[in-house]
Amino acid sequence: MKFLVDWPLGGLAKWLRFCGFDATLMRLAPDKPGSWPPPRPRTHILTRQAACRRLKRPDLLVLAAAEPEGQLTEVVKRLGLSARDFKPLSRCRHCNDPLAPLSRDLVQGRVAEYVFLQQRRFFECPRCHRIYWPGSHLQGITGTLRDQLDKLGDRDADPPE
Ligand SMILES: [Zn+2]
């Protein structure tokens, strides 16, 4: 699933990428519908601009929540997303690029020592070379959404028995 996210909602775009969704920021002008991309399958446009409603695009979600966490919850509810739609640790939150597994040998010295000692699986963004590990995507959020993502992260982090 792909999201085109209105420019001011950069925080939401980061959370969507954390969840593994392809999220691209773009400037949406309600008074210039000609500048909007054509509707595409499995692609949703996200904005908070109420004026966009009059464009009556079926692929458009006008969100109400002011904070990224609430916006993400809104997207999850309105699109009926479930755990199987989420793929944590698959995409860089900053670049939107798919992450690649990174050998643990190559991580030492590049993350805090306690992280290196605690974690077994690491991933790297091929563009910005940020390193991710299970749980790294949960920093900075709280509440229900964290609980939901935490469960997904744990499931993703445990090796098969
Ligand atoms: Zn990156």
Side-chain angles (χ1 to χ4, degrees):
M1 190 174 293
K2 189 173 159 66
F3 293 97
L4 302 175
V5 183
D6 200 1
W7 192 262
L9 306 184
L12 172 62
K14 284 182 178 173
W15 288 124
L16 287 166
R17 293 168 190 153
F18 269 165
C19 299
F21 298 111
D22 184 338
T24 304
L25 284 173
M26 62 180 305
R27 293 184 191 279
L28 295 174
D31 52 340
K32 291 183 191 145
S35 68
W36 287 45
R40 292 194 187 91
R42 292 181 56 77
T43 301
H44 299 274
I45 300 181
L46 307 176
T47 185
R48 281 192 74 221
Q49 300 185 72
C52 292
R53 280 206 184 89
R54 66 167 179 263
L55 300 177
K56 299 198 187 313
R57 287 181 62 128
D59 56 348
L60 178 68
L61 264 71
V62 179
L63 304 174
E67 297 302 322
E69 194 175 328
Q71 291 158 4
L72 180 57
T73 304
E74 225 176 318
V75 171
V76 167
K77 282 185 184 155
R78 287 177 62 182
L79 295 179
L81 301 179
S82 65
R84 68 173 192 278
D85 297 308
F86 288 68
K87 294 180 181 62
L89 288 176
S90 63
R91 201 171 279 275
C92 178
R93 71 174 295 199
H94 298 275
C95 308
N96 200 37
D97 283 37
L99 299 179
L102 183 62
S103 163
R104 199 164 176 270
D105 301 341
L106 299 174
V107 174
Q108 196 161 20
R110 294 180 62 194
V111 298
E113 194 177 355
Y114 75 92
V115 172
F116 179 75
L117 293 174
Q118 281 175 6
Q119 302 295 333
R120 285 158 294 164
R121 294 166 68 228
F122 294 93
F123 303 85
E124 184 180 30
C125 171
R127 187 184 299 265
C128 72
H129 302 290
R130 282 183 173 86
I131 298 176
Y132 294 83
W133 56 90
S136 61
H137 60 301
L138 295 173
Q139 288 164 5
I141 53 167
T142 54
T144 314
L145 184 63
R146 185 186 163 106
D147 293 343
Q148 288 169 8
L149 294 176
D150 211 1
K151 284 189 194 111
L152 296 168
D154 284 348
R155 183 204 59 192
D156 198 46
D158 290 335
E161 312 234 333

